[in-house]
Amino acid sequence: MADPMKARATLKGDVAEIRVLMGHPMETGQRKGSDGKPIARHFIQNVTVKVNGKTVVEGEISQAVSRNPVFSFRVKGAKSGDKVEISWLDNKGATNKTETAIA
Amino acid sequence: MRISGCGGALLMALALAAAPAVAQQSQFEKYQKMVAEGSPVELFELVGEDLWKKPQGPNKVSLENCDLGQGPGVLQGAYARLPRYFQDVDRVMDLETRVLHCMTTLQGRSREEATKRLFGNADKPSEMEYLSAYVAGHSRGHPMAPGQSNAKEKASYELGKKLFFVRTGLWDFSCASCHGEEGKRIRMSELPVLYKPEAARPLMATWPAYRVSNSTFKTMQWRINNCFRQMRTPEPVFGSEVVNALNMFLTVTGQGETYRGPGTKR
Amino acid sequence: MKRRILSAAATITLAACASVPVVEHSKLTDAELAGISAVLKRDFRAKGQAKMDRLEQDEVQRACNLYADKPPAAVAKPLEAAQLTAIKYPGGSMIGDWKNGAKIANSGRGMQWHEKPEAPGGGGCYNCHELSPKQPSHGTIGPSLKGFGKVRGNGPETQKYVYGKVYNSKAYNLCSHMPRFGHTGSLTEQQIKDVVAYVLDPTSPVNQ
Amino acid sequence: MDVERRLVLKGAGVTGTLAFALAAGLLKPERVLAAAWPKDAFDAKSTEDALKSLGASSTVESRDVLIEAPQIAENGAVVPIEVTSNVPGTSSIVVLIEKNPNPLAGRFTFMEGAVPYVKLNVKMGESSHVRVVAEAGGKHYVATREVKVTIGGCGG
């Protein structure tokens, strides 16, 4: 099963609060597996948030972000119905994305 | 924090009585609140939905017609009314016991196959964990109201109550050894006095839950199993009367609280 | 708001407060305890080192269960005496290596079904007791033992008391929450001596 | 902002394009990612080195950089942190956990109406100061906050 991902965007006044959940192990490279061997570092490096196709937030993150990352962002001047698109790219080149509309 | 009904009044009284512990307590409360707000728990509901609707087993059917007590396929509020008595099996079942029953009856899977991996881990959560998240999510906003009218439901509660206090296992522990006195901790973890409604209500209204210390989703059957592991007993059988009775006792003790899970725990 | 939800659902929940019975830790009859024992044996399975014999109720567990952890002196005293007699004390000094004792006090491992029986277990002392002021992460189920040796000294009688308490707490208080670490083979003689040292040795951080 | 990163992550079709490019061996993942992610800053072993690598070696303390975090976290695996910069013209926010082996946890760049705000969960190996640096008009404003980490549980 692909890593699940979910976003929600709600308007408070003219600021949209965007919350995104990403299924990802965010391995630090310091943990050992059941075989005693270290588990390779595996983590999301880039997070991009777009509203109506325009990039509003670019995040570069490390393995220090917790497993199954959850982020909240805020965008001013957004309107109900605006399209929010969030994507990530990890250090192994895998990507995922999700979309939602501002409610 | 939500304070309501008699549990709330008691909670406030307790908070006042336990004044010296308040400074530390409030710090953990802030941590727990912030963790709950930033929880990835919904992801488990999302995957659970896929698994619920996925045809599986020799019968190649999904679990969508599983009867959780409110009729085949009814998910709304079903979890909040568990554990309860089921006539078709003439016994009390909690969420996981009933889901397992649906796997073996509806889907035609063997108990052996369906119970091969009930408790998952962060790298690979189990099917049961995902399904529990999905089903429980449909009870948000419903008051916790486990079955209590049938004779077997009453017997289950009574058995659970006795089991809660029974000293057993290599180290002579009962549930009450850790969860029987106000204001106690194991290390820095505060221990809820689970036979009292004011402690049971907020807890039972938030299981099953994403557990930070496991970095994954955990269920009530697991929670009870894991307590017995640390009590140094043998292992309770999944879905057995003992585990269901303890779950019934805890749920009845915490009843009336509005379900707001699946929650997030430390 | 909550009240409204409650009343709307009143038919299902009844009155939320009134319907929850007050729960007390009640005494059990012989028949009730026998019934519970049978249910436990039916619903549990041996796993790893955690065998089914762990569900056998010995006379201590039995008395505590029958009397809701408060047995009358006439019941408790003879049983405590029997537990005390069964303690196997080491010869000579009972003070081992406090540094190793610190590790045992900090480790909550041992005797669980997922663990290898040969892996060294811990005493989990910090789960319940405060000991060294340098370890702030301690439980509160048991009394604080900070500075125990400084207050009580470390003479032969005190050594014997602490050794005995760790070996079999039930010899002193029949329904104590504390496990019987020596009696159950959870800690070895040397390990208990090391814990005694951690509690009593003047150079141990517990006594600084 | 560097152009290459924009190219890599631009447009809805980018995931497919990138996946195709990777599969076809046209791009090595390391090369793509090195361009998109400040490796030297993330590999830095100290807060100072990480900030130097990001061009933020000189910072001034500011009350307009707000950090919301629990004083005590029960579990270092998840420490929630909420950061807001009220410094006018803030273009990016950097989050560092001083005692982590690699202190830099993330950099967030805001544009097109995004509020200089982010909430995230980080891992902390031990009790540590959390340092947040906001960039506005080429200057760097800093705030710090201590978070204590305890680890609970029995059974080992």
Side-chain angles (χ1 to χ4, degrees):
Chain A
M1 193 165 314
D3 288 325
M5 186 169 177
K6 188 175 189 176
R8 189 174 291 149
T10 46
L11 211 53
K12 284 174 193 158
D14 72 334
V15 176
E17 175 111 16
I18 300 168
R19 186 167 178 266
V20 60
L21 294 74
M22 310 167 176
H24 200 283
M26 300 301 285
E27 281 298 343
T28 59
Q30 291 171 15
R31 212 163 62 99
K32 281 182 180 145
S34 48
D35 56 359
K37 289 181 189 156
I39 302 169
R41 216 155 66 136
H42 182 206
F43 62 102
I44 294 174
Q45 292 190 321
N46 297 85
V47 176
T48 304
V49 184
K50 294 178 181 185
V51 175
N52 289 338
K54 280 185 186 166
T55 299
V56 291
V57 181
E58 290 223 30
E60 296 137 323
I61 61 171
S62 81
Q63 67 279 3
V65 169
S66 304
R67 179 185 278 264
N68 299 323
V70 181
F71 294 99
S72 289
F73 303 106
R74 288 175 181 166
V75 179
K76 212 172 156 68
K79 297 183 306 295
S80 175
D82 283 357
K83 197 179 104 179
V84 177
E85 186 188 314
I86 300 162
S87 59
W88 59 251
L89 169 66
D90 76 12
N91 67 326
K92 292 185 179 176
T95 67
N96 201 355
K97 64 174 180 175
T98 188
E99 288 178 15
T100 187
I102 296 176
Chain B
M1 206 181 86
R2 190 194 301 262
I3 290 184
S4 60
C6 68
L10 261 167
L11 253 183
M12 278 174 76
L14 280 170
L16 291 173
V22 161
Q24 183 110 72
Q25 176 96 29
S26 63
Q27 269 314 312
F28 281 142
E29 257 174 37
K30 180 174 180 185
Y31 174 74
Q32 283 158 4
K33 184 169 172 276
M34 283 189 83
V35 166
E37 285 166 0
S39 171
V41 67
E42 279 171 76
L43 291 176
F44 292 82
E45 294 180 48
L46 218 60
V47 179
E49 180 173 6
D50 289 347
L51 288 170
W52 187 258
K53 295 176 176 169
K54 180 181 164 192
Q56 288 199 86
N59 299 346
K60 295 191 173 59
V61 294
S62 73
L63 292 167
E64 285 165 291
N65 281 323
C66 179
D67 183 353
L68 296 163
Q70 307 306 311
V74 179
L75 289 169
Q76 287 302 326
Y79 175 69
R81 292 176 180 83
L82 294 170
R84 55 165 284 148
Y85 172 78
F86 287 88
Q87 202 158 16
D88 56 359
V89 285
D90 189 30
R91 61 168 293 206
V92 167
M93 289 179 153
D94 67 4
L95 168 66
E96 293 147 84
T97 312
R98 189 62 184 177
V99 169
L100 177 59
H101 171 79
C102 288
M103 287 173 175
T104 54
T105 52
L106 274 181
Q107 297 185 318
R109 296 157 68 177
S110 70
R111 186 182 156 98
E112 195 199 354
E113 180 269 326
T115 57
K116 199 162 259 170
R117 194 169 178 280
L118 292 160
F119 305 139
N121 54 32
D123 294 326
K124 194 169 177 259
S126 75
E127 181 189 7
M128 186 61 83
E129 285 157 352
Y130 284 126
L131 292 171
S132 300
Y134 175 64
V135 174
H138 284 81
S139 279
R140 272 191 291 271
H142 292 257
M144 295 297 279
Q148 282 171 266
S149 49
N150 176 280
K152 290 212 169 172
E153 290 168 344
K154 287 176 185 155
S156 178
Y157 169 84
E158 289 300 325
L159 175 62
K161 182 167 75 176
K162 290 191 179 80
L163 285 167
F164 185 84
F165 292 103
V166 159
R167 311 283 298 260
T168 185
L170 188 71
W171 284 6
D172 313 318
F173 287 139
S174 69
C175 303
S177 298
C178 289
H179 297 285
E181 254 184 277
E182 302 290 350
K184 299 290 183 187
R185 298 194 319 245
I186 285 180
R187 289 283 178 140
M188 297 307 280
S189 305
E190 287 140 11
L191 297 161
V193 182
L194 290 172
Y195 70 91
K196 300 205 171 166
E198 60 271 24
R201 287 168 67 108
L203 273 175
M204 298 311 287
T206 47
W207 276 97
Y210 186 83
R211 207 160 173 264
V212 169
S213 42
N214 304 88
S215 297
T216 189
F217 194 84
K218 290 293 168 195
T219 64
M220 239 359 239
Q221 287 269 338
W222 172 86
R223 177 61 273 181
I224 292 169
N225 176 287
N226 203 50
C227 277
F228 279 118
R229 173 174 64 78
Q230 295 174 78
M231 288 162 71
R232 275 73 179 176
T233 67
E235 188 179 34
V237 173
F238 189 91
S240 62
E241 192 185 351
V242 162
V243 185
N244 274 286
L246 278 166
N247 197 3
M248 175 66 103
F249 171 63
L250 296 173
T251 313
V252 169
T253 306
Q255 75 180 341
E257 189 87 352
T258 302
Y259 186 69
R260 51 183 183 274
T264 302
K265 312 276 179 185
R266 73 169 115 75
Chain C
M1 182 189 105
K2 179 65 188 310
R3 286 207 175 279
R4 228 171 44 224
I5 295 172
L6 277 181
S7 61
T11 45
I12 313 150
T13 59
L14 312 170
C17 302
S19 64
V20 179
V22 175
V23 175
E24 278 172 8
H25 184 181
S26 310
K27 291 180 187 177
L28 297 177
T29 63
D30 280 306
E32 284 172 330
L33 184 55
I36 287 168
S37 275
V39 168
L40 287 173
K41 284 175 190 172
R42 185 198 64 197
D43 284 359
F44 280 70
R45 296 287 178 273
K47 185 170 182 179
Q49 61 180 322
K51 307 289 189 226
M52 289 299 281
D53 61 0
R54 293 189 182 184
L55 294 178
E56 294 297 337
Q57 297 258 316
D58 77 341
E59 53 192 355
V60 173
Q61 282 187 5
R62 218 180 116 70
C64 294
N65 284 329
L66 291 175
Y67 292 98
D69 284 345
K70 291 185 185 70
V75 172
K77 290 296 165 202
L79 289 173
E80 287 171 1
Q83 296 288 305
L84 193 63
T85 312
I87 296 176
K88 294 190 190 89
Y89 294 98
S93 168
M94 296 179 203
I95 300 210
D97 173 4
W98 69 256
K99 283 180 186 144
N100 197 40
K103 284 183 200 144
I104 296 163
N106 268 296
S107 166
R109 293 201 173 87
M111 312 309 276
Q112 298 175 94
W113 65 56
H114 69 293
E115 294 171 321
K116 292 194 179 106
E118 63 273 18
C125 312
Y126 275 106
N127 284 340
C128 300
H129 296 282
E130 179 179 23
L131 291 132
S132 164
K134 284 185 195 144
Q135 173 54 284
S137 174
H138 63 80
T140 58
I141 294 174
S144 171
L145 302 173
K146 191 170 74 177
F148 190 92
K150 207 155 67 176
V151 176
R152 308 279 285 261
N154 58 4
E157 278 312 300
T158 312
Q159 288 178 29
K160 199 178 169 193
Y161 171 71
V162 177
Y163 189 95
K165 191 89 184 185
V166 177
Y167 189 98
N168 189 344
S169 61
K170 271 71 177 181
Y172 304 82
N173 173 6
L174 196 70
C175 301
S176 161
H177 290 312
M178 184 165 155
R180 295 174 272 180
F181 290 104
H183 181 83
T184 56
S186 304
L187 291 178
T188 63
E189 180 181 295
Q190 186 56 50
Q191 282 183 307
I192 300 178
K193 283 165 76 170
D194 294 343
V195 171
V196 173
Y198 190 52
V199 175
L200 294 182
D201 195 314
T203 60
S204 157
V206 173
N207 296 313
Q208 301 313 307
Chain D
M1 300 308 309
D2 68 81
V3 179
E4 209 174 337
R5 172 171 45 163
R6 288 298 192 86
L7 282 174
V8 165
L9 283 175
K10 197 174 154 195
V14 75
T15 44
T17 313
L18 181 63
F20 173 77
L22 288 167
L26 299 175
L27 287 165
K28 284 190 168 165
E30 299 80 21
R31 265 203 63 202
V32 178
L33 302 174
W37 192 72
K39 187 175 184 300
D40 289 349
F42 278 110
D43 285 348
K45 301 262 188 280
S46 74
T47 304
E48 288 66 33
D49 289 350
L51 286 174
K52 200 186 286 173
S53 173
L54 293 173
S57 35
S58 92
T59 56
V60 287
E61 277 191 40
S62 171
R63 287 180 170 209
D64 291 326
V65 178
L66 310 174
I67 308 173
E68 178 75 355
Q71 273 177 41
I72 305 178
E74 277 184 276
N75 196 314
V78 177
V79 181
I81 293 173
E82 193 172 11
V83 181
T84 310
S85 171
N86 290 330
V87 180
T90 298
S91 55
S92 72
I93 285 177
V94 171
V95 178
L96 304 118
I97 316 298
E98 294 195 350
K99 292 265 183 76
N100 275 3
N102 305 115
L104 180 59
R107 175 170 71 173
F108 300 88
T109 306
F110 307 96
M111 52 215 119
E112 303 283 350
V115 178
Y117 162 92
V118 64
K119 189 172 162 190
L120 73 164
N121 297 323
V122 296
K123 295 170 200 153
M124 289 179 57
E126 56 184 305
S127 298
S128 168
H129 281 97
V130 174
R131 196 184 297 189
V132 172
V133 180
E135 181 177 351
K139 285 177 108 175
H140 297 93
Y141 302 86
V142 67
T144 50
R145 181 123 191 220
E146 193 187 10
V147 177
K148 290 199 176 81
V149 174
T150 69
I151 294 157
C154 67

